Amino acid sequence: MTTQLAILDWQSVLAADRATVGGKAWQLARLKQFGLPVPDGLVIPAGWCALQDGAAVLSPELSGALQEALAAHDWLNRPLAIRSSAAGEDSAKASFAGIYRSCLNVRGIEQVQSALREVWASLWSPAAIAYRQKLGLAEGGTAGDTVPAMAVIVMPLLPAVASGIAFTCDPISGRDDRLVIHAQWGFGESLVGGKANGDEYIFAEDPLDDHWTLLHQQLGSKTAKAVVRPGGGTDMVPTPAAQAGAFVLSSDQASQLAELLHDAAVALDFTHSFHDLEWVWDGNWFWVTQARPVTARPHYTYSALQTQATYWTRGNTCEVVPEPMSPIDWSSARKMVNALLVQSYLLAGYPLLPGAQRVALFHGRLYLELSLLQWEVFDAFGMIPSATNALIGGRQPEIAVPPTSFVGHLARLQRAVRYMLRAPARRRRGMRAITQAMTEASEWRKQTLPEDASGLRTEILRQFHVVRGAVDLFFLQGSGGGSLAMLVEQLNKCFPGEGYALATALLAGGEPSITARQSYDLMALGRLLQESVQGESDGGSGCGQYPENPKFQHAFDAFLDHYGHRGLYESYFRNPRWREAPEYLLSTLAQLAEVDEAALRARQQAAVADALARIKAGAPFWKHVFIRRLAKAAHLECNQREAARSALIAHVEPGRRILLAAGRYLVARGALAQETDIFQLMLSEILRALDGDIPAAGVRARVADRNRLFEQWSREIPPDVLVEASQHSTVDWHALDMVAPMDNSRRYQGIPTGTGRATGKACLLRHPSDGYKLQPGDILIAPSTDPGWTPLFLRAGGLVVETGGYMSHGAIVAREFAIPAVVNVPGILARIKDGDVVEVDGMSGVVALLE
């Protein structure tokens, strides 16, 4: 068997089975492939590992192959490092840090063979056996293995002037907006083994980009430090006293190293870039010599949640971002969603946990940490978890909250008053910010793009800084549910169980949101198209082309001037805008021309009138004015939420444009195969690629790896909720897929978000581009809806959406149009077929499959 084995270089490692080369070698080979500075190395596969009479032995075939490989690399007389790379080592669940043997300063074939036996023998050390038993692993380190096996890495020993370890998150607190570096003079084995206390450098992530800023540095113990002679030898000498009393790294060196290590972690896993890395400084260059995922990152959260399970939900995030996120989308969403969710608390003076992370990527999809969201809104304002669930969408578990004390109730009341007093001025600022953002985005869209790397880098950073710092827009986006929640609460007190339905009816019609205005303008365009077609001898358009009619062309251009920044699933940079690809809009116009707008307006007015009559008859007279004011405030807040979203999306259009320009630049330099590959890079990677800090081959390798990962994610059906056990128990992740049957398999309960009832044939659509299948009066059933779906609402008799909550886009627009609608009915697409007759009750939230 051993005669068929070969000693591998880094490129060959990636073509081998991961268990054969071990976790350490696999990670280093990937880093090398992704363009990180990794020293050359050879890997002896695990198949060579053998045990005879209780001792590790080398076969003659291995000895010969090893001699040949070292000679070919001119390493026979060079000092080497011999390191373990066992199956399961440096994995996400087991690090084996300090368990297996490493041998440094090994020179010559005999020393190499001896070191190899030592490393293999460490597989059977008491510490290794106990560690594997503690983790419940079989003797090989992975489930199913019965005989231990270990691959071994052979690398040149770098002339280490300094070295150390680093964590791309805070290993103590778990904060992922911190990066920690430990450094000492010379070789870092004592630092890695915890025997020495090196200098510490703590970096904070910039809130506006992916840059890391030195926050704190601390001198470590200066005893037993050593440096390598400048000539490259390996004799160790004491650190000179003057040097020993100084920091190992200057601030600039530490910052350079932080950016490099963050890049290494992102290259390995941009979704969860939390790694423990080892590095070496040779006097000229930094090198990465090991990388392993952080296996025991503490969950950084509020003390009240430390002993509870953590719930991650797709909630109504799967409405606006239902598909996998590209790295550049995740790079933006990670920061913007956090900023969006905290603005109300900051206004109210609530003491937020610094650096708390409210969003993560699983299965390529965006998830919110529901536990943290439920706690913050409860602790700040007293809203119970079930009410939070209804607002953000999805059916998910609830955290346990303590009883409210008098002091706690008083503090929440003070915050609520503070918020109400400050919110009007903040909303006025937000409305001014919308106007400014739209003007700004228009100017960016029309400007001449730079063609050089420096200019592209500067413009990308400028645009991303502006958008990530748009806190007034974030406030409007993230604070739109307060008045609505109060309205539902007040209505439920007077009409138990009818609060949602009555609130929905009260919010029908009125001043249209920007999304509703967009739909009304599309209907007008449809009628104009119909007139144009009737005047054309060729029968006109309707298939994605302009009719030859100047009046229509002018009107359509005016529409694009107002709404051309929007598009289908517009939150993704990779998706074109309507200005760029108007075919979908043009294809909907003929059908929108048939919509009876007068009937739509009458339906809205009737819904409001019926709700007001019900309230007048059943609510105390002294509450009538209060309820009307709450309804007015809720309507305004929902409209402002939609307008703020439109303004934020307006920035995506020039952002897409400048990113594609950077993509073309990198294509010309061989770093990308096509300009759209730019979307498969994080912002930090794009900037480093433009600076030339990532080799072209490394950029291409990262994109190829993400493309494969993206294809895998696209085939997956992500769970609705992920549950993570508390840090006080065994780590346990499991998924919850929530379904919504009511009392039998033919009735399903969701959240009522549209008025009245409707019966019709079910039309199941998974993407708005399939909207041609929807016939007038059909019940539209969709997995999620964003503004690209809105034109279809106007033709539907009713709406059912698997996802969403009371503040989701589909819910807001359905209320405006007074369409019988029910959202948050998970699993409904699998239980109803096209053509089934269904009834949608927008008052009770029930969807019934009829005979």
Side-chain angles (χ1 to χ4, degrees):
M1 176 181 175
T2 55
T3 57
Q4 299 176 357
L5 294 173
I7 296 178
L8 309 175
D9 58 15
W10 291 135
Q11 186 173 358
S12 302
V13 163
L14 294 175
D17 179 75
R18 182 168 181 169
T20 300
V21 298
K24 189 178 297 181
W26 180 264
Q27 294 284 67
L28 286 174
R30 292 184 70 219
L31 285 173
K32 184 76 171 180
Q33 180 191 38
F34 295 148
L36 276 301
V38 173
D40 288 336
L42 296 173
V43 177
I44 302 168
W48 290 105
C49 183
L51 180 68
Q52 182 176 317
D53 297 329
V57 296
L58 275 72
S59 67
E61 292 88 349
L62 175 56
S63 296
L66 192 55
Q67 174 86 23
E68 183 179 341
L70 294 178
H73 285 75
D74 197 22
W75 290 356
L76 282 171
N77 295 310
R78 183 171 179 178
L80 302 172
I82 313 299
R83 311 184 74 183
S84 66
S85 183
E89 187 177 3
D90 287 0
S91 67
K93 295 184 178 180
S95 69
F96 287 89
I99 299 295
Y100 296 135
R101 184 85 166 90
S102 291
C103 299
L104 303 182
N105 200 21
V106 177
R107 191 192 300 265
I109 186 64
E110 291 185 0
Q111 289 189 14
V112 169
Q113 290 175 334
S114 176
L116 181 56
R117 284 190 288 266
E118 283 188 52
V119 174
W120 277 347
S122 66
L123 263 174
W124 297 280
S125 69
I129 293 173
Y131 187 82
R132 290 194 293 267
Q133 290 175 343
K134 177 183 177 182
L135 295 177
L137 300 174
E139 276 302 289
T142 58
D145 292 344
T146 56
V147 179
M150 176 187 285
V152 176
I153 299 171
V154 180
M155 300 172 66
L157 187 65
L158 295 171
V161 174
S163 59
I165 60 176
F167 301 89
T168 55
C169 62
D170 189 327
I172 306 300
S173 69
R175 286 183 66 163
D176 66 1
D177 62 340
R178 295 290 184 267
L179 188 151
V180 181
I181 295 175
H182 297 276
Q184 72 171 32
W185 299 111
F187 296 109
E189 292 304 303
S190 58
L191 186 62
V192 173
K195 300 177 182 178
N197 179 24
D199 296 344
E200 183 180 64
Y201 307 81
I202 300 177
F203 288 82
E205 186 179 19
D206 191 294
L208 297 183
D209 60 31
D210 294 351
H211 178 70
W212 293 87
T213 303
L214 184 59
L215 192 67
H216 173 75
Q217 55 184 351
Q218 179 175 334
L219 283 168
S221 169
K222 297 302 175 182
T223 60
K225 285 193 175 180
V227 296
V228 178
R229 292 186 186 279
T234 58
D235 295 332
M236 306 300 290
V237 297
T239 304
Q243 192 176 31
F247 281 103
V248 174
L249 301 174
S250 69
S251 296
D252 288 344
Q253 286 177 322
S255 296
Q256 179 187 350
L257 177 58
E259 301 290 350
L260 174 67
L261 296 174
H262 175 251
D263 186 55
V266 165
L268 291 173
D269 185 356
F270 77 89
T271 68
H272 296 85
S273 53
F274 316 126
H275 281 72
D276 167 4
L277 304 111
E278 296 179 20
W279 58 272
V280 168
W281 167 249
D282 67 3
N284 294 303
W285 308 100
F286 285 109
W287 299 87
V288 182
T289 57
Q290 184 167 325
R292 63 169 71 95
V294 173
T295 55
R297 184 169 72 101
H299 183 55
Y300 182 63
T301 190
Y302 294 90
S303 58
L305 301 176
Q306 289 287 354
T307 59
Q308 300 192 48
T310 301
Y311 304 123
W312 293 92
T313 178
R314 295 186 72 204
N316 59 13
T317 63
C318 60
E319 180 187 49
V320 293
V321 281
E323 300 170 351
M325 299 198 84
S326 303
I328 188 60
D329 293 316
W330 168 235
S331 183
S332 294
R334 176 175 167 269
K335 292 176 179 290
M336 290 176 63
V337 173
N338 271 293
L340 185 151
L341 291 171
V342 302
Q343 296 305 313
S344 296
Y345 303 120
L346 294 174
L347 192 68
Y350 175 69
L352 290 162
L353 181 68
Q357 183 62 259
R358 296 162 184 82
V359 63
L361 213 61
F362 302 107
H363 303 276
R365 273 76 170 191
L366 195 69
Y367 282 77
L368 299 177
E369 191 188 323
L370 180 68
S371 301
L372 194 147
L373 301 186
Q374 289 180 352
W375 172 257
E376 287 180 334
V377 73
F378 167 78
D379 197 38
F381 300 115
M383 182 182 289
I384 59 175
S386 61
T388 302
N389 284 351
L391 280 177
I392 69 170
R395 296 174 180 271
Q396 50 263 316
E398 300 171 12
I399 61 168
V401 295
T404 302
S405 65
F406 174 77
V407 174
H409 179 74
L410 184 61
R412 292 176 180 122
L413 181 61
Q414 290 174 334
R415 282 191 286 267
V417 171
R418 190 180 297 122
Y419 175 87
M420 288 188 290
L421 291 175
R422 294 175 176 178
R426 188 66 183 277
R427 290 192 171 279
R428 289 192 293 272
R429 276 174 48 189
M431 295 307 294
R432 291 193 296 270
I434 289 173
T435 301
Q436 179 182 347
M438 298 302 294
T439 302
E440 197 169 46
S442 178
E443 293 172 351
W444 291 354
R445 178 170 52 85
K446 297 172 183 176
Q447 70 183 14
T448 301
L449 294 176
E451 297 182 358
D452 61 297
S454 176
L456 288 166
R457 189 187 200 281
T458 299
E459 183 61 23
I460 288 172
L461 274 177
R462 182 172 76 94
Q463 292 192 20
F464 272 69
H465 279 192
V466 169
V467 178
R468 289 178 173 181
V471 293
D472 292 324
L473 297 182
F474 297 156
F475 175 76
L476 295 184
Q477 263 272 279
S479 63
S483 295
L484 181 59
M486 291 176 63
L487 175 63
V488 172
E489 180 184 14
Q490 290 299 317
L491 290 171
N492 269 329
K493 288 180 179 179
C494 301
F495 309 94
E498 298 182 48
Y500 282 127
L502 286 171
T504 292
L506 286 174
L507 298 180
E511 179 66 26
S513 68
I514 189 169
T515 311
R517 286 203 308 271
Q518 170 185 299
S519 300
Y520 291 132
D521 289 351
L522 276 176
M523 285 191 290
L525 274 175
R527 293 191 292 269
L528 184 57
L529 173 66
Q530 194 175 57
E531 295 170 6
S532 301
V533 169
Q534 290 171 355
E536 294 289 337
S537 59
D538 62 1
S541 173
C543 299
Q545 301 293 326
Y546 281 100
E548 295 297 328
N549 183 290
K551 184 178 180 182
F552 176 82
Q553 290 177 343
H554 177 75
F556 192 73
D557 288 342
F559 178 89
L560 290 181
D561 189 53
H562 283 94
Y563 308 110
H565 60 283
R566 313 211 74 164
L568 300 180
Y569 290 117
E570 60 194 12
S571 298
Y572 300 99
F573 279 108
R574 65 177 182 266
N575 288 342
R577 309 294 103 181
W578 282 337
R579 197 184 329 271
E580 183 181 350
E583 295 80 13
Y584 168 73
L585 286 178
L586 290 167
S587 70
T588 66
L589 294 181
Q591 292 171 309
L592 287 176
E594 305 299 329
V595 175
D596 188 340
E597 186 172 344
L600 170 61
R601 302 283 190 182
R603 188 170 67 226
Q604 295 169 331
Q605 294 169 4
V608 176
D610 290 346
L612 289 175
R614 180 89 169 90
I615 292 167
K616 184 177 181 180
F621 74 93
W622 51 270
K623 274 195 173 185
H624 294 176
V625 174
F626 183 50
I627 289 173
R628 280 175 175 260
R629 287 181 176 175
L630 280 177
K632 182 178 180 180
H635 189 89
L636 176 65
E637 289 173 10
C638 288
N639 284 6
Q640 290 177 340
R641 178 183 172 93
E642 289 290 295
R645 172 179 170 79
S646 176
L648 288 170
I649 292 299
H651 285 105
V652 175
E653 184 179 18
R656 171 180 164 84
R657 185 168 173 259
I658 188 66
L659 288 172
L660 288 174
R664 289 190 292 273
Y665 177 89
L666 294 174
V667 167
R669 280 142 189 82
L672 296 178
Q674 53 192 1
E675 63 183 36
T676 53
D677 285 343
I678 196 76
F679 302 130
Q680 290 290 26
L681 298 174
M682 295 281 280
L683 175 62
S684 62
E685 294 175 306
I686 293 172
L687 300 178
R688 289 180 69 84
L690 290 173
D691 289 341
D693 291 336
I694 307 175
V699 177
R700 293 195 305 272
R702 297 183 194 206
V703 169
D705 189 69
R706 273 82 181 268
N707 283 335
R708 288 190 293 269
L709 186 61
F710 198 85
E711 290 176 3
Q712 174 189 325
W713 286 339
S714 298
R715 293 191 297 268
E716 295 176 352
I717 300 176
D720 300 319
V721 176
L722 286 167
V723 183
E724 179 185 10
S726 75
Q727 64 183 55
H728 297 281
S729 61
T730 304
V731 174
D732 173 36
W733 283 87
H734 63 275
L736 295 178
D737 287 310
M738 317 303 288
V739 295
M742 185 180 177
D743 52 14
N744 56 56
S745 61
R746 306 180 72 85
R747 290 169 59 85
Y748 303 90
Q749 179 70 56
I751 295 177
T753 55
T755 58
R757 293 185 181 87
T759 301
K761 291 184 178 180
C763 180
L764 280 58
L765 300 181
R766 296 188 177 275
H767 195 274
S769 60
D770 296 327
Y772 63 90
K773 301 176 183 177
L774 183 71
Q775 299 302 310
D778 282 354
I779 304 300
L780 171 59
I781 302 180
S784 62
T785 61
D786 81 336
W789 288 82
T790 305
L792 301 179
F793 290 12
L794 298 170
R795 292 156 44 201
L799 174 69
V800 180
V801 187
E802 283 195 319
T803 60
Y806 215 60
M807 286 304 298
S808 64
H809 167 78
I812 291 173
V813 179
R815 284 196 295 266
E816 282 194 275
F817 290 155
I819 299 171
V822 178
V823 302
N824 196 1
V825 196
I828 194 71
L829 281 167
R831 291 163 175 78
I832 290 180
K833 302 186 295 296
D834 271 316
D836 284 347
V837 178
V838 295
E839 180 187 65
V840 180
D841 190 335
M843 303 299 289
S844 67
V846 172
V847 180
L849 177 60
L850 305 180
E851 294 293 343

